[in-house]
């Protein structure tokens, strides 16, 4: 596995969630240290799945910790939003369509089409069969398209 | 809008800036020697070659002596009796597969990377290949001693050998952890049986029955292969129950 | 690094040896205490992938117990073991290195290193047949360590060791346990007193108690007996 290449992708994945460069990079490095600190399968897909699992757990942990801090300190929350919401408005209609998806659906689309994660890895991450992943991806894309057409975009 | 364009748009939308500290981070990983934590491991081929030296010396000697004995007997008494010796060749192979259990090394091997299964398979493969090759060479050597064609000598030699291998491996598959010498007994009994055959049923060695022997060879080879497959799949687990 | 057992169960014909045990092992030395027949050996065999449980799973950082990769980072010392009759101590270690997949150069290096560590230098080229019980046990310990395991599982490792050897073993394990998962089983409580960070107490296939143990907490033996007694 090309670690340097995966570094960029994990960074993009975390940036997609937090939209904070520094936070995303901190967590990327944390994920890599954990990944390298434990030995795992020789198989590349299994390794990749493990790396994404670590990154995803870090995300969740971060969300959880932040919620606690917020409720205790009553400080202004560090806005944690996912990438689609805050990115520059390029295609308003596409953005709206993506926004209508569930977070899991958005993540799946991101992993497959933006980060080029192989389908077997996605199927491992979501505990779905490969076939189910293919079908799900198709149906999500279809949903996006329908949503955009309803918005008057051809 | 087609799918490709949609995907391209999504990609554009999710573009991220470049990470800033990447090269520093990888520099750090290299300094801490964290990039390659996995020890290099030997390949299956190297493992197999290594196992060759751990097969008991007396097993090789037994096989060697037996093959020489077959040659000698064929020259001295080229009746139908030399054929009855080949099942004993299988006994050595089968005995070697239970060595791990006999010397209580099985648990060690089972928990190691190349597992007990690889160890047993390596032994089966190495001894099986060497013994069978040895037998084939012997067949070529002794062929002039017999009045039979090469094909018939081959059949008369191989059928007893493979029968014993098949029956012995069925026994081994079913009674793995026993201390007993069951499979050796099976080989000896097969040997006795094939020694008795020419005395009572000498007509079996007539030329017209060559087809029958060929069919027997094919059948037994298939049974042996099938049994080995079953054995391989389930070589380890029930041992400890 | 985490070794997770999830509801593992193993039943023999008329007896449940391990009954729906769940736990997580982390870095450090964990002591597994229990009387003979409590199911310790069965549990350890399951953790090593030697026995397949009737139910439940064992994983380490997402790796299944029956995979090659898992066994690659595993070191195991069984309770009872033998050796091939022609082996010297050194042959034994080289053989185990080969089965564990070590490359020749690594195997030679680690063998020499461990012969030294377990104090078998003078006996290394002698037949294992001539070894005393304690020497044989130390050889077993050496083979468990030869692949530099991240998970070390030892079943009654101090059996047959004399008091001096026990002290050496304890120091060795305390050192190894700093950054690895170590699980030791024993029915001799005093073996664990100074090295175990955590304890698991087993009775009739179930986990009676598990938790941190520090030497300040009183007498381990008393604690153990009270735990075993409570649940009668």
């Amino acid at each position: 596995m090309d670690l340097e290449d995966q570094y960029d992708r994990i960074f993009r994945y975390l940036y997609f969630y937090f939209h904070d460069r520094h936070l995303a990079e901190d967590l990327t490095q944390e994920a890599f240290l954990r990944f390298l600190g434990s030995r795992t399968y020789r198989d590349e897909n299994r390794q990749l799945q493990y790396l994404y699992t670590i990154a995803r757990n870090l995300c969740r942990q971060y969300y959880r910790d932040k919620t606690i801090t917020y409720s205790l300190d009553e400080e202004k929350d560090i806005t944690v939003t996912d990438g689609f919401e805050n990115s520059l408005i390029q295609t308003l209609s596409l953005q709206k369509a993506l926004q209508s998806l569930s977070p899991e659906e958005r993540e799946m689309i991101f992993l497959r089409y933006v980060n080029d994660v192989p389908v077997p890895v996605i199927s491992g991450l979501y505990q779905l069969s490969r076939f189910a992943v293919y079908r799900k991806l198709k149906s999500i894309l279809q949903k996006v398209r329908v949503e955009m057409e309803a918005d008057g975009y051809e | 809008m087609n799918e490709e364009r949609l995907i391209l748009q999504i990609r554009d939308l999710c573009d991220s800036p470049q990470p800033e500290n990447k090269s520093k981070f990888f520099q750090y990983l290299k300094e801490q020697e964290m990039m390659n934590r996995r020890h290099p491991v030997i390949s299956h081929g190297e493992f197999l070659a290594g196992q060759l030296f751990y097969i008991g010396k007396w097993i090789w000697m037994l096989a060697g002596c037996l093959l020489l004995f077959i040659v000698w007997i064929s020259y001295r008494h080229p009746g139908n009796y030399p054929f009855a010796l080949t099942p004993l060749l299988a006994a050595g192979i089968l005995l070697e597969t239970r060595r791990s259990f006999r010397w209580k090394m099985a648990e060690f091997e089972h928990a190691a990377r190349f597992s007990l299964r690889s160890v047993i398979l390596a032994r089966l493969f190495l001894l099986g290949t060497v013994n069978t090759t040895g037998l084939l060479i012997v067949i070529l050597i002794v062929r002039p001693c017999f009045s039979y064609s090469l094909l018939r000598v081959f059949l008369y030699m191989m059928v007893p050998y493979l029968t014993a291998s098949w029956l012995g491996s069925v026994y081994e598959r079913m009674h793995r952890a026993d201390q007993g010498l069951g499979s050796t007994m099976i080989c000896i009994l097969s040997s006795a049986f094939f020694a008795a055959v020419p005395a009572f049923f000498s007509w079996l060695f007539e030329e017209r029955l060559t087809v029958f022997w060929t069919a027997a060879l094919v059948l037994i080879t298939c049974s042996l292969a099938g049994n080995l497959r079953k054995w391989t799949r389930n070589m380890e687990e029930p041992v400890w129950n | 690094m985490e070794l997770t057992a999830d509801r593992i169960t193993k039943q023999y014909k008329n007896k449940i040896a391990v009954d729906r045990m769940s736990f997580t092992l982390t870095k450090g030395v964990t002591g597994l205490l229990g009387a003979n027949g409590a199911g310790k050996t069965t549990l350890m065999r399951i953790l090593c992938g030697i026995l397949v449980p009737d139910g439940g799973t064992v994983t380490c950082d997402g790796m299944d117990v029956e995979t090659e990769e898992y066994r690659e980072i595993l070191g195991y010392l069984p309770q009872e073991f033998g050796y091939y009759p022609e082996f010297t101590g050194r042959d034994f270690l080289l053989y185990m290195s080969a089965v564990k997949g070590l490359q020749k150069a690594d195997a030679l290096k680690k063998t020499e290193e461990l012969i030294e560590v377990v104090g078998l230098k003078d006996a290394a080229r002698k037949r294992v047949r001539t070894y005393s019980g304690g020497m044989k046990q130390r050889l077993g310990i050496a083979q468990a360590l030869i692949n530099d395991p991240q998970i070390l599982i030892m079943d009654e490792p101090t059996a047959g060791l004399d008091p001096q050897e026990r002290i050496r073993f304890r120091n060795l394990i305390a050192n190894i346990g700093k950054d690895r998962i170590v699980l030791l089983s024993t029915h001799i409580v005093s073996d664990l007193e100074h090295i175990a960070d955590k304890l698991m107490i087993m009775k009739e296939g179930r986990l009676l108690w598990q938790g941190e143990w520090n030497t300040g907490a009183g007498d381990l033996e008393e604690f153990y007996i009270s735990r075993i007694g409570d649940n009668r």
Side-chain angles (χ1 to χ4, degrees):
Chain A
M1 191 162 70
D2 182 357
L3 287 177
E4 303 212 12
D5 177 45
Q6 288 306 328
Y7 185 94
D8 290 341
R9 292 175 196 269
I10 293 292
F11 173 78
R12 199 185 298 136
Y13 173 68
L14 290 162
Y15 186 82
F16 157 74
Y17 267 108
F18 298 114
H19 239 259
D20 174 334
R21 225 187 237 218
H22 296 289
L23 180 59
E25 187 143 18
D26 275 359
L27 290 180
T28 305
Q29 299 194 349
E30 174 77 31
F32 268 78
L33 288 176
R34 286 195 194 186
F35 176 73
L36 293 167
S38 60
R39 296 204 238 172
T40 178
Y41 293 104
R42 216 168 272 278
D43 179 64
E44 277 211 4
N45 280 347
R46 305 291 287 262
Q47 283 188 24
L48 201 55
Q49 186 186 327
Y50 186 50
L51 184 57
Y52 272 100
T53 308
I54 295 174
R56 203 201 222 176
N57 287 343
L58 281 172
C59 261
R60 290 197 185 140
Q61 201 182 332
Y62 188 83
Y63 273 120
R64 212 178 321 139
D65 291 354
K66 280 306 148 203
T67 331
I68 294 163
T69 331
Y70 180 67
S71 61
L72 287 181
D73 303 348
E74 296 284 328
E75 277 175 15
K76 170 117 182 57
D77 189 13
I78 298 166
T79 35
V80 219
T81 44
D82 78 36
F84 288 116
E85 199 174 85
N86 263 19
S87 65
L88 289 170
I89 303 167
Q90 291 176 327
T91 319
L92 198 59
S93 158
L94 174 62
Q95 248 196 358
K96 260 173 79 184
L98 291 170
Q99 213 54 55
S100 71
L101 300 173
S102 76
E104 193 188 272
E105 288 172 329
R106 267 200 304 268
E107 189 188 63
M108 202 186 262
I109 288 282
F110 175 86
L111 289 176
R112 182 71 195 104
Y113 298 118
V114 182
N115 254 12
D116 300 318
V117 178
V119 169
V121 176
I122 296 181
S123 96
L125 276 172
Y126 290 92
Q127 307 273 309
L128 292 170
S129 72
R130 285 176 202 197
F131 182 65
V133 172
Y134 279 119
R135 218 172 30 188
K136 186 124 206 227
L137 285 168
K138 285 271 170 260
S139 85
I140 302 171
L141 279 185
Q142 184 57 32
K143 219 161 137 185
V144 171
R145 221 174 314 175
V146 168
E147 200 71 34
M148 287 173 81
E149 272 156 23
D151 213 41
Y153 186 93
E154 285 304 314
Chain B
M1 171 161 63
N2 68 24
E3 201 171 286
E4 255 164 71
R5 261 186 61 204
L6 180 60
I7 290 169
L8 280 176
Q9 282 202 359
I10 295 175
R11 281 181 93 106
D12 276 350
L13 196 60
C14 297
D15 204 19
S16 76
Q18 284 299 307
E20 285 166 353
N21 301 316
K22 181 174 160 183
S23 54
K24 238 199 296 180
F25 181 65
F26 277 92
Q27 188 64 37
Y28 167 80
L29 288 181
K30 271 169 203 145
E31 277 163 20
Q32 301 289 310
E33 291 183 354
M34 288 183 73
M35 293 287 275
N36 267 320
R37 288 175 55 92
R38 201 185 285 280
H39 293 291
V41 195
I42 54 175
S43 66
H44 283 80
E46 284 172 290
F47 170 73
L48 197 64
Q51 283 292 311
L52 193 62
F53 299 99
Y54 289 111
I55 286 173
K57 284 184 197 73
W58 68 273
I59 295 274
W60 295 124
M61 264 145 51
L62 187 90
C65 292
L66 202 62
L67 289 172
L68 285 178
F69 190 60
I70 293 174
V71 174
W72 183 77
I73 274 257
S74 304
Y75 274 98
R76 294 296 300 268
H77 309 280
N80 290 328
Y81 295 102
F83 306 137
L85 285 168
T86 55
L88 299 178
L89 207 53
I93 306 176
L94 292 167
L95 259 181
E96 189 66 10
T97 61
R98 58 175 49 231
R99 212 156 82 103
S100 296
F101 302 108
R102 180 151 174 244
W103 301 104
K104 289 194 180 159
M105 284 291 283
E107 247 181 301
F108 281 138
E109 288 161 352
H110 203 154
R113 179 173 188 278
F114 279 103
S115 202
L116 181 59
R117 187 164 163 263
S118 322
V119 172
I120 296 178
L121 282 177
R123 288 177 186 156
L124 264 180
F125 175 76
L126 291 170
L127 271 169
T129 312
V130 171
N131 282 8
T132 310
T133 315
L135 187 60
L136 291 175
I137 293 171
V138 164
I139 290 171
L140 289 176
I141 294 172
V142 301
R143 147 71 202 111
C145 309
F146 297 95
S147 54
Y148 307 133
S149 67
L150 180 62
L151 173 70
R152 284 168 71 201
V153 177
F154 172 76
L155 288 172
Y156 300 154
M157 287 277 193
M158 290 308 273
V159 168
Y161 170 62
L162 291 174
T163 307
S165 302
W166 168 49
L167 292 175
S169 68
V170 168
Y171 178 89
E172 287 291 334
R173 179 168 64 79
M174 309 224 274
H175 305 268
R176 253 150 304 194
D178 299 1
Q179 291 290 316
L181 295 171
S183 58
T184 314
M185 285 309 294
I186 287 175
C187 291
I188 292 172
L189 285 176
S190 322
S191 182
F193 173 77
F194 283 101
V197 164
F200 298 103
F201 312 100
S202 56
W203 49 270
L204 267 174
F205 291 91
E206 286 170 21
E207 194 172 359
R208 66 192 167 86
L209 286 175
T210 306
V211 181
F212 161 75
W213 283 87
T214 312
L217 182 81
V218 171
L219 207 69
I220 289 165
T221 309
C222 292
S223 313
L224 176 64
N227 187 57
L228 285 180
R229 238 183 78 196
K230 252 193 240 167
W231 190 13
T232 312
R233 225 182 290 145
N234 200 7
M235 201 163 248
E236 300 178 317
E237 216 267 297
V239 168
W240 314 107
N241 285 342
Chain C
M1 199 161 203
E2 272 186 1
L3 179 64
T4 312
D6 186 22
R7 284 164 293 172
I8 47 176
T9 301
K10 181 75 200 180
Q11 190 166 8
Y12 295 120
K13 270 172 204 127
N14 43 14
K15 193 187 159 211
I16 295 187
V18 175
D19 191 8
R20 276 164 295 150
M21 282 179 78
S22 297
F23 54 86
T24 301
L25 298 177
T26 47
K27 278 177 187 169
V29 180
T30 306
L32 177 62
L33 273 171
N36 285 327
K40 299 195 298 286
T41 297
T42 305
L43 175 65
M44 292 192 132
R45 282 179 172 165
I46 291 173
L47 295 182
C48 293
I50 290 179
L51 261 180
V52 178
D54 300 327
T57 53
V58 177
T59 50
C60 180
D61 286 349
M63 273 187 289
D64 283 331
V65 69
E66 65 266 19
T67 56
E68 220 168 67
E69 288 90 345
Y70 181 92
R71 292 197 303 270
E72 196 176 311
I73 57 166
L74 173 72
Y76 173 50
L77 176 70
Q79 190 171 4
E80 248 189 89
F81 60 88
Y83 46 88
Y84 293 127
E86 70 278 10
F87 274 1
T88 66
R90 196 166 169 275
D91 290 339
F92 180 89
L93 292 180
L94 286 174
Y95 175 76
M96 284 313 297
S97 317
V99 182
K100 289 183 179 211
L102 267 68
Q103 290 189 333
K104 196 82 194 163
D106 285 344
L108 287 167
K109 202 178 113 220
K110 289 297 283 183
T111 297
E112 298 309 328
E113 199 180 301
L114 281 164
I115 283 171
E116 192 95 29
V117 169
V118 299
L120 285 173
K121 197 149 194 238
D122 299 329
R125 282 171 197 274
K126 291 191 182 125
R127 298 268 168 128
V128 184
R129 198 188 303 152
T130 63
Y131 282 19
S132 69
M135 288 161 82
K136 201 185 121 198
Q137 189 68 14
R138 282 183 279 153
L139 189 62
I141 293 167
Q143 72 74 35
L145 298 175
I146 207 152
N147 54 332
D148 194 18
Q150 301 298 304
I151 305 167
L152 183 60
I153 295 179
M154 297 180 139
D155 201 352
E156 302 273 355
T158 53
L161 297 185
D162 63 33
Q164 215 184 333
E165 289 168 351
R166 264 165 213 252
I167 295 171
R168 266 180 83 168
F169 172 74
R170 257 182 259 168
N171 293 337
L172 178 66
I173 291 302
N175 209 11
I176 291 170
K178 273 181 205 151
D179 55 354
R180 279 156 239 239
I181 298 171
V182 180
L183 181 68
L184 305 178
S185 85
T186 182
H187 62 279
I188 305 164
V189 180
S190 62
D191 274 348
L192 295 174
E193 215 146 17
H194 300 288
I195 49 168
D197 309 310
K198 272 160 287 170
L199 278 185
M200 298 204 292
I201 300 178
M202 239 185 123
K203 190 187 177 186
E204 285 160 9
R206 276 171 300 128
L207 207 52
L208 275 191
W209 186 84
Q210 63 171 329
E212 305 262 328
W213 181 258
N214 42 29
T215 21
D219 189 50
L220 179 57
E221 183 111 39
E222 253 169 49
F223 177 77
Y224 170 57
I225 290 168
S226 76
R227 281 289 152 187
I228 291 275
D230 280 354
N231 286 271
R232 200 155 275 169

